[in-house]
Amino acid sequence: MSRWLVATMTSVLFIALVIAVTGFEALLANVEVIAQTDATPYLGPAMVIGGAVVVFVATGLGIREGNPGVTGLVAAATTYLVMLGVGAVGYALIRRDVTELLVFPAGYALGPFVVGSVVVAILVVVGAIALARRQTTPSH
């Protein structure tokens, strides 16, 4: 199977799992994904799409070479930064306030939405790379 097909399926799995995890977080903990009432309904999905792009690239490049654990950690750290960056830029544009570039990430850095997405990212990237490599190795 093509490594880019595996990367695409991993990105779709990432999006689906983030939706499920944030749904359960919102249901069980009674927490909003994006607490700002003036944020558009597209801010959270834009952050997830940014994370999915990171998962796609990390999986596609990680299948070929490298340690799956290290690739997963790099993907998780990059997903964290990209999600906070997309959220900060998006909310700063909505509010037309440059200070939101610092305030928004500070409020969501340890929030369940971003942290849950990072956990999902590391799991799906490591799992996809390990499974793809196992599938490509010849069996005896």
Side-chain angles (χ1 to χ4, degrees), residues 70-119:
V70 172
T71 304
L73 287 174
V74 169
T78 308
T79 299
Y80 181 77
L81 294 174
V82 166
M83 287 186 72
L84 289 176
V86 169
V89 170
Y91 194 62
L93 289 173
I94 291 167
R95 294 282 309 257
R96 295 185 179 126
D97 185 7
V98 178
T99 59
E100 291 298 335
L101 291 172
L102 297 174
V103 173
F104 185 88
Y108 286 90
L110 296 176
F113 174 52
V114 175
V115 173
S117 299
V118 168
V119 170

Side-chain angles (χ1 to χ4, degrees), residues 3 12 15 21 24 29 32 35 47 54 62 75-76 83 92 95 112 115 117 119 121 129 134:
R3 66 185 171 129
V12 171
I15 293 170
V21 167
F24 279 115
E32 291 291 326
M47 292 169 68
V54 171
M83 287 186 72
R95 294 282 309 257
V115 173
S117 299
V119 170
I129 291 172
R134 176 153 171 83

Side-chain angles (χ1 to χ4, degrees), residues 61-72 129-130 133:
L61 296 177
I63 288 175
R64 218 174 226 182
E65 60 188 43
N67 184 344
V70 172
T71 304
I129 291 172
R133 285 190 183 169

Side-chain angles (χ1 to χ4, degrees), residues 33-44 87 90-91 94-95 104 108:
V33 174
I34 303 294
Q36 285 80 356
T37 56
D38 57 346
T40 67
Y42 305 111
L43 187 59
Y91 194 62
I94 291 167
R95 294 282 309 257
F104 185 88
Y108 286 90

